[in-house]
Amino acid sequence: MLQHITIPRGPIELAADLHLPDDDAAPRRAVVLSTPGSSVKEQIGANYAARLAARGIAALVFDPAHQGRSGGEPRDLEDPYRRSEDISYAIDALGAVPGIDSGRIGVLGICAGGSYAVHTARTDHRIRAVGTVVPSDIGAAFRGFQPDGPAAALDGLAESRAEEARTGEPARVAWLPDTLADAEALGVTDVDTLQAITYYRTERGGNEHSTNRRLTRSDALLLGFDAFHLVDQLMTQPLQVVLAGRRGTTGSYESGMRLWDLAPNPVDLMVIEGAGHYEMYDEPEYVDAAVDRLVGFYSDNL
């Protein structure tokens, strides 16, 4: 059962889908999903939320502020601090839904959403359990992607922001090449990047509300973001980490293991052999295995 709801977020609203189990058991446990960068609620989040609901756990997935069908200007902003705040606003809304037990709410972060889920759970202890799937430390990933180092990248972003101020035209960049042909023309051969394009930019996983564009001013925020800061002191909730066994250029395997080592209360670590990062988004064999394990984790800890 699917309900379309809106989440009040100050002067704007977030567009959200609440996936509910078919039975009328109440009060019930629930999970808020934090999705990958550039994705919208109908994509990876829906794949996991629908499966959680089918197994008896209510699941709320939403479009981040400034993206998808949610409000917020400027569009295509990927602000890691606002994305983390979005989760707390989602918990506010979920706790007011009839039949939801506000004392049994968890979070599930996927890819960059893992960064935001962990960052939020450190200080929002209404979150009772933290699940992650291929969690990316998005700040560390962005710092690692800079060929001349993050400080030089920030110098370039400062010049770009100054140019925006002069022209009034906000700059945007593509998260990925828009097509496989574009990737080939650019000489892209990395398996993870090609799999990301195959998911996001084709009928397989594409969605009209996922623009594949990122406001350039986002990058300075991402470069300075440390998702795991103070995890060892503040994130006392039970933790589940699900990783793809095939390591790649996303760094999610390494980030997940680092998170596991930092967390004060790690409960379960699952490595899905044979899976790549982006195959964890929608390949039924891998997603079903992850959700089966997550359902056991949430059932035990919510």
Side-chain angles (χ1 to χ4, degrees):
M1 190 163 56
L2 180 65
Q3 293 182 2
H4 302 297
I5 67 172
T6 56
I7 299 170
R9 193 200 197 289
I12 67 171
E13 291 182 333
L14 306 181
D17 287 340
L18 178 59
H19 296 252
L20 291 167
D22 289 333
D23 62 70
D24 57 0
R28 64 170 74 253
R29 58 178 64 86
V31 171
V32 174
L33 282 88
S34 177
T35 55
S38 86
S39 72
V40 293
K41 62 186 181 299
E42 293 84 1
Q43 296 175 304
I44 304 95
N47 291 336
Y48 279 82
R51 284 170 166 84
L52 288 169
R55 290 160 172 80
I57 298 175
L60 179 66
V61 60
F62 59 89
D63 289 341
H66 308 273
Q67 300 177 33
R69 300 188 195 189
S70 289
E73 295 290 340
R75 305 305 294 168
D76 301 321
L77 178 67
E78 182 79 5
D79 181 337
Y81 305 98
R82 288 185 67 79
R83 285 216 47 181
S84 299
E85 286 182 333
D86 288 343
I87 298 170
S88 290
Y89 281 103
I91 293 170
D92 292 343
L94 188 56
V97 173
I100 298 297
D101 187 341
S102 61
R104 293 197 296 169
I105 294 177
V107 70
L108 173 58
I110 305 166
C111 187
S115 280
Y116 307 138
V118 167
H119 187 76
T120 306
R122 300 169 315 136
T123 53
D124 191 338
H125 282 202
R126 294 176 300 170
I127 297 170
R128 305 296 188 178
V130 180
T132 61
V133 175
V134 290
S136 168
D137 180 347
I138 189 67
F142 261 70
R143 289 187 290 275
F145 290 156
Q146 309 308 316
D148 298 318
L154 288 168
D155 290 341
L157 289 166
E159 294 177 7
S160 174
R161 186 67 180 266
E163 180 65 19
E164 282 187 35
R166 286 192 293 271
T167 64
E169 292 293 329
R172 285 173 169 81
V173 294
W175 284 92
L176 297 163
D178 281 314
T179 66
L180 288 170
D182 289 345
E184 182 178 2
L186 292 168
V188 175
T189 58
D190 172 61
V191 170
D192 284 323
T193 303
L194 295 175
Q195 287 190 346
I197 296 167
T198 301
Y199 178 79
Y200 279 113
R201 307 306 299 163
T202 70
E203 291 184 4
R204 172 182 160 194
N207 183 277
E208 62 179 318
H209 299 290
S210 177
T211 66
N212 191 39
R213 294 296 183 270
R214 184 178 70 253
L215 203 66
T216 305
R217 69 179 66 171
S218 309
D219 291 10
L221 301 171
L222 290 164
L223 285 165
F225 184 60
D226 184 351
F228 298 166
H229 181 56
L230 297 178
V231 159
D232 56 333
Q233 299 177 50
L234 301 179
M235 201 186 80
T236 55
Q237 301 96 321
L239 171 69
Q240 165 87 64
V241 176
V242 179
L243 302 176
R246 181 180 62 76
R247 304 190 196 188
T249 54
T250 67
S252 61
Y253 183 95
E254 293 76 11
S255 291
M257 293 304 297
R258 178 169 169 254
L259 174 61
W260 178 258
D261 289 338
L262 284 171
N265 191 11
V267 168
D268 188 44
L269 173 66
M270 181 185 194
V271 178
I272 300 182
E273 297 300 339
H277 181 101
Y278 294 100
E279 292 169 319
M280 293 299 303
Y281 284 7
D282 71 333
E283 290 288 347
E285 174 188 358
Y286 302 137
V287 176
D288 285 338
V291 171
D292 285 344
R293 193 73 158 252
L294 287 160
V295 167
F297 168 73
Y298 291 126
S299 297
D300 289 343
N301 292 285
L302 290 179

